[in-house]
Amino acid sequence: MPTDDVARFLDALSPAHREEVRRQPRQQQEKLAAAWETELREDTDLDTLSELSPAAAESEAARRVVEGKDS
């Protein structure tokens, strides 16, 4: 299991989004990973999903961050 925040974030992304993010500079990847961590912590809708499937909640939060959507 990846321990680096960027690696964890990339792991949570769909393959298409993962490649999109990998093409970005490391600094941008770190910003997106930090936004993902914030989304996981602060979005109450993800709390229920996280209880049912932590991986699904991480994936949904990653998608939201990459697509720039709040929901």
Side-chain angles (χ1 to χ4, degrees):
M1 172 176 264
T3 55
D4 174 314
D5 288 343
V6 172
R8 287 182 52 243
F9 172 62
L10 289 170
D11 193 47
L13 288 167
S14 68
H17 283 136
R18 187 176 306 126
E19 289 309 313
E20 177 184 333
V21 171
R22 280 188 175 143
R23 287 191 294 268
Q24 297 180 16
R26 177 68 184 195
Q27 185 176 11
Q28 181 61 22
Q29 292 178 21
E30 290 170 355
K31 279 179 71 173
L32 289 169
W36 173 66
E37 292 285 353
T38 300
E39 181 82 4
L40 285 171
R41 233 183 355 265
E42 295 179 359
D43 190 302
T44 57
D45 290 337
L46 290 174
D47 289 342
T48 301
L49 182 57
S50 182
E51 291 173 12
L52 299 172
S53 173
E58 288 182 352
S59 182
E60 175 62 16
R63 182 194 63 77
R64 291 177 185 184
V65 166
V66 170
E67 293 181 358
K69 295 180 182 175
D70 293 326
S71 58

